[in-house]
Structures are given as structure tokens and as C-alpha cells.
Amino acid sequence: MSELSQLSPQPLWDIFANICAIPHPSYHEEQLAEHIMGWAKEKGLHAERDQVGNILIRKPATAGMENRKPVVLQAHLDMVPQKNNDTVHDFTTDPIRPYVDGEWVKARGTTLGADNGIGMASALAVLADDSVKHGPLEVLLTMTEEAGMDGAFGLQPNWLQADILINTDSEEEGEIYMGCAGGIDFITDLPLTREPVPAGFATFTLTLKGLKGGHSGAEIHVGLGNANKLLVRFLAGHAQELDLRLLDFTGGTLRNAIPREAIATVAVPADKAEQLKTLANAYLAILQNELEMKEKNLTVLLASANSDKAALTTASRDTFIRLLNAMPNGVIRNSDVAKGVVETSLNVGVVTLQDNNAEIVCLIRSLVDTGKDYVVSMLESLGALAGATTHPKGGYPGWQPDAHSPVMALVRETYQRLFNKTPNIQVIHAGLECGLFKKPYPNMDMVSIGPTITGPHSPDEQVHIESVGHYWTLLTELLKAIPAK
Ligand SMILES: [Zn+2]
């Protein structure tokens, strides 16, 4: 028996232990899906799957509650497979080994899959536990959320009967989510021309590093330094006076992480090397002053280098530098609906130079789809001015906050009544599946709740035991309180 069977509430924890025992990383959810289908049919519940593999299970209303608005409880089937370097674990065959450590449940050396396994277990526990009172109920378990939201993208209209969707994929007990940002990648390709570095030039690498970096959505409002933007700003200020030639520029590693480091390889006439050094030091002092509170470890390093690369022509150099320097970055607009939350942002994430081409990859996020369109149009305009080709890629919609959502108001009242404190109504500047559900189900009233999970997507993932109890109480009281149609 798992030590999770000692925990309360049951059967939620036992169901979670069973989920842990069946491998279910993204793209390998089939075994768990089949298990759940068999389990539901054994219980005499209607269960079916759609063409992308999403599971839908229906349970009739508790006697006397048939007139309530139908509700769908939703979770994703997959988990993120991450392990420590020294852990031997095959996520496609080996079970997750959860254990209790004080107030928390953790896994041994791997992600736990509490994201979204606790949510999934809570939905199945409502199906299993006849003492929970509810109106007409559906449970929707989606495929491959963590690796592209395949299930949410494939969800068909007229499949769900519910009017209200409760998403269980948020990770802070006491917070209620009513909206999330959508995103889109944006790629700018600028053709480059090169020529040999003139004789008598000295070559250097100019490195800007030591920035904190972070999640390009959740932390975009913090005002952290973006290495790409900070390095190009120096070049924009001094390339012409130094007669500087640009051989290379590379910065950032992921489009969804704020870049921590950028490096330019440059050449200047030998008699200007001293001036370059002075200017680089002066620039470091400027940045240290501007970012004193946020970026304590920021440094600018100039080092002699050898390179046989050709340099960009001065015209090509200027176009590249001006394009990147003029590119907007960070917060574009804050939300009027969700106070203190970013509505639209972008992260100038990755810059790389090839022989004939510079590529700049941005990730744009917005709570409103037209906010993304606005940034796309700015970047397209900028690209056109520079003679670059541009293309957006892989967009997904946001979940626009609805300040008048009845279910959000009901969750707030229910939480207040149960715990005698006001929950935080939140919008996240990152992705949830709810935005995609709005397409086939534009009138669905949606809200997202969950227990407290820290370190999701990492081997440090853990779920707070007491918060699971609070979350379960909130969920079951909420189901009881859903109004009549
Ligand atoms: Zn999740």
C-alpha cells in the first residue's frame, strides 16, 4: 500500500497514487487513458474518447439536483518528465514514486506529476464518491497539454454539454484564475552582406552577462535586463564613432526565457581599441546605475579575440543594429480588467548570426488576441523598414478575463464562506488550456483552481498536503452551490 493512502481526503489520494503508478509523460498517455476508461466503465459511467484521444466521462446529477447547470471538471492527462542527473528513471515504463515529506508529497528524483495529477484525481474522486453532491457532471481529461496543448487544440464543438468549466491546472491554493495570456512566436530574418575586416583592425569579444533571466511571461513585468537589448544598445551608440565592424552577435537560448547573456565579436581600428575599452566600462557603469535594484551581477567584459570571420559591411551592420535596437521588448500594456497584470508583452529571446542571415526570435504574449496582432504588426513594420522577412509561428489564443463571470463570483463567495478570507483573483501572463476551449465553446463560463504546487516541471515538484484538502473542500462545496439553469 502507498503511504498516500494514509492521507486525507480519500479517495483522492489513492487515485493519485494509482495515477503515479502508471507512466504518463506527454505523448505516452495511452496506458493511463485506457486504465481510466476501464475504471469509468466498471463504475457504469458513460465514457468516450474523441479523435485526438481526449477522455469525456459523464455522471448523472445527484437526486434532486438535475436542474442545476451542468459542469465539466477538466484536467490534462500528461505530466512533464524531468529527473535529476543522478536518478535512473525511464518515464515511459517506470512508475513515479511519491512519498510524504512533512507537509508535502514529493517524488524520488523525478517530477511528481501533481501538475495536473491532483486535478485529475480530484475529478475522478468526484465520480467515485457518491457522497459528493452535484448537478449533471462531465469530466474532461485532455491529451498532451505540456507539449503543445494537442488535446485542447483538437477539442470539437458540441461534444461537451456543460455550461461551466472548472479547470484544475492552477498551482496556488487561495488563488482563483480567471484568465491567461495567449502566445505566438515571431521570427525576423535579415539578410546580411559581409566583407573582410580591414587591415590594422583589432578584434574583441564584448560580452554582457550575469543577468538573472526568468520566465518570459510570469516575470516580464519585473524589469529584468534583456541581454540582447542591452548589448545592441551599446553598439547602436558607438559603432559609427568607433568605425566598429561586427563579426558576430549571439544572445539568449530560449524564446520563452529572458536572455541572460549576449556576446558580440567586433573589430575596431587598432588606435581606437583604448576608446572601445573606455566606452565599454562607461556603459557598464550606466547599466549598473539603471539596474542597480534588479541586476546585481550584471557585467560587461571586453576581451581580445582572434577570428578569421568576415565582418558585416557597414551598411549591413547599421541595419542589423538599428533593427534589433528599435525592436520593442518587455511590457507593451497592462490590463485594465486585471489590475497589476500584464496584458501584452514580448520577449526578444534569441538572436543568432549566420554568414548571410541574422535571425531574431521573439515570443509575444497577450491576454487579448488583438494585443498579439498589434505586436505582430509592429514587428512586421519594423522588419519591412529593415528589409527583413518576418513570419509569426505557432500561435495559441489567450483566455480573456471576464470580470462578470458568474462562476468566478461563485468560487470567490464559496472560498470566502469556507475559509473566512478573500481569495486572490488572478490572471496569469502564461498559458492555460482555457483560451483554446473558448474557440469551440465561446459561451462556456470558466474558472481555474488548484492546490499549492511548487517547482512544477522540475524534480523539485511537490504538492502541499493541507492545500489539497482545502482545494477538495472548495471544489465539492462549489459543485453543491452551482445554481439552477
Ligand atoms: Zn499543468
Side-chain angles (χ1 to χ4, degrees):
M1 244 0 247
S2 158
E3 57 183 299
L4 270 48
S5 55
Q6 309 302 316
L7 300 177
S8 165
Q10 290 293 354
L12 187 156
W13 282 109
D14 268 345
I15 294 173
F16 180 66
N18 288 335
I19 290 169
C20 290
I22 303 169
H24 59 287
S26 305
Y27 302 117
H28 300 274
E29 302 101 323
E30 215 37 53
Q31 199 189 339
L32 179 61
E34 282 310 309
H35 171 82
I36 291 170
M37 288 297 287
W39 176 91
K41 285 179 177 159
E42 227 169 74
K43 293 203 163 340
L45 299 168
H46 173 87
E48 58 181 291
R49 302 186 72 185
D50 66 9
Q51 62 212 27
V52 292
N54 296 320
I55 293 178
L56 176 59
I57 307 171
R58 292 203 174 94
K59 188 181 180 189
T62 310
M65 294 180 76
E66 296 83 354
N67 66 339
R68 304 296 179 93
K69 285 186 174 174
V71 170
V72 55
L73 300 180
Q74 185 264 326
H76 59 81
L77 270 161
D78 60 323
M79 66 174 280
V80 173
Q82 286 285 312
K83 66 182 190 70
N84 287 327
N85 281 338
D86 56 355
T87 302
V88 179
H89 187 92
D90 181 344
F91 280 96
T92 63
T93 53
D94 299 340
I96 301 294
R97 291 170 299 153
Y99 69 99
V100 177
D101 182 7
E103 296 181 6
W104 300 85
V105 170
K106 305 176 178 181
R108 296 194 192 278
T110 68
T111 35
L112 172 62
D115 166 18
N116 195 192
I118 295 286
M120 188 169 12
S122 70
L124 298 177
V126 170
L127 297 177
D129 184 348
D130 288 329
S131 71
V132 177
K133 294 188 167 49
H134 54 80
L137 189 76
E138 296 180 314
V139 168
L140 172 67
L141 305 176
T142 48
M143 296 286 279
T144 322
E145 186 268 350
E146 302 284 10
M149 301 201 188
D150 294 3
F153 266 107
L155 191 67
Q156 296 299 308
N158 306 316
W159 195 36
L160 304 176
Q161 295 168 356
D163 299 325
I164 295 169
L165 183 139
I166 301 173
N167 170 281
T168 62
D169 195 21
S170 59
E171 293 164 351
E172 188 71 49
E173 195 261 323
E175 300 204 333
I176 303 169
Y177 286 89
M178 60 177 291
C180 77
I184 192 165
D185 294 349
F186 191 92
I187 296 143
T188 301
D189 281 302
L190 178 71
L192 301 175
T193 47
R194 291 183 184 258
E195 63 187 12
V197 176
F201 274 53
T203 305
F204 298 90
T205 53
L206 182 62
T207 305
L208 193 146
K209 66 178 199 177
L211 300 175
K212 279 197 190 130
H215 190 286
S216 79
E219 281 154 309
I220 199 73
H221 64 289
V222 176
L224 299 172
N226 176 312
N228 293 326
K229 294 293 294 178
L230 293 179
L231 185 56
V232 81
R233 175 176 153 195
F234 176 82
L235 299 177
H238 303 295
Q240 288 186 338
E241 69 176 293
L242 288 168
D243 193 17
L244 175 148
R245 305 304 158 103
L246 185 63
L247 285 67
D248 199 6
F249 188 109
T250 170
T253 52
L254 292 168
R255 74 203 206 304
N256 59 1
I258 297 169
R260 286 178 289 119
E261 189 168 326
I263 305 170
T265 308
V266 302
V268 294
D271 63 356
K272 298 212 175 192
E274 210 41 48
Q275 193 188 349
L276 171 62
K277 197 172 176 184
T278 308
L279 287 169
N281 286 333
Y283 186 56
L284 173 60
I286 289 169
L287 294 183
Q288 282 172 332
N289 176 55
E290 287 181 11
L291 295 169
E292 193 187 358
M293 310 294 282
K294 298 286 163 61
E295 298 286 5
K296 296 206 178 338
N297 300 318
L298 160 76
T299 58
V300 175
L301 298 173
L302 187 69
S304 286
N306 284 312
S307 175
D308 47 14
K309 254 192 191 162
L312 308 197
T313 61
T314 52
S316 204
R317 169 200 73 189
D318 288 344
T319 310
F320 167 73
I321 289 173
R322 287 168 183 163
L323 171 64
L324 184 56
N325 193 44
M327 199 165 269
N329 178 66
V331 176
I332 299 293
R333 192 175 195 281
N334 286 309
S335 173
D336 296 330
V337 180
K339 296 289 179 212
V341 174
V342 176
E343 181 171 276
T344 304
S345 75
L346 80 158
N347 179 48
V348 180
V350 186
V351 180
T352 44
L353 256 60
Q354 308 296 331
D355 284 347
N356 308 317
N357 181 63
E359 184 175 80
I360 304 170
V361 183
C362 297
L363 175 55
I364 304 165
R365 300 181 191 263
S366 183
L367 301 179
V368 290
D369 287 344
T370 51
K372 278 188 310 190
D373 298 345
Y374 169 50
V375 179
V376 164
S377 97
M378 283 199 283
L379 296 182
E380 281 171 350
S381 296
L382 196 54
L385 283 172
T389 57
T390 56
H391 61 281
K393 199 178 110 187
Y396 60 92
W399 169 23
Q400 192 167 346
D402 172 8
H404 307 292
S405 157
V407 70
M408 193 264 292
L410 184 64
V411 179
R412 186 174 50 205
E413 284 162 31
T414 308
Y415 189 90
Q416 176 86 46
R417 172 166 60 77
L418 290 170
F419 304 110
N420 203 21
K421 59 181 177 195
T422 310
N424 238 334
I425 310 292
Q426 288 276 12
V427 171
I428 36 171
H429 197 61
L432 282 175
E433 290 165 294
C434 298
L436 286 165
F437 299 152
K438 276 279 178 187
K439 209 161 189 201
Y441 299 95
N443 298 319
M444 188 81 84
D445 188 14
M446 303 191 297
V447 71
S448 178
I449 55 175
T452 299
I453 297 169
T454 66
H457 305 188
S458 86
D460 298 328
E461 181 183 6
Q462 55 179 2
V463 60
H464 191 248
I465 295 165
E466 189 185 27
S467 80
V468 175
H470 288 180
Y471 159 71
W472 174 251
T473 306
L474 176 65
L475 180 65
T476 52
E477 287 294 318
L478 189 61
L479 289 173
K480 222 195 278 181
I482 295 288
K485 237 178 160 19

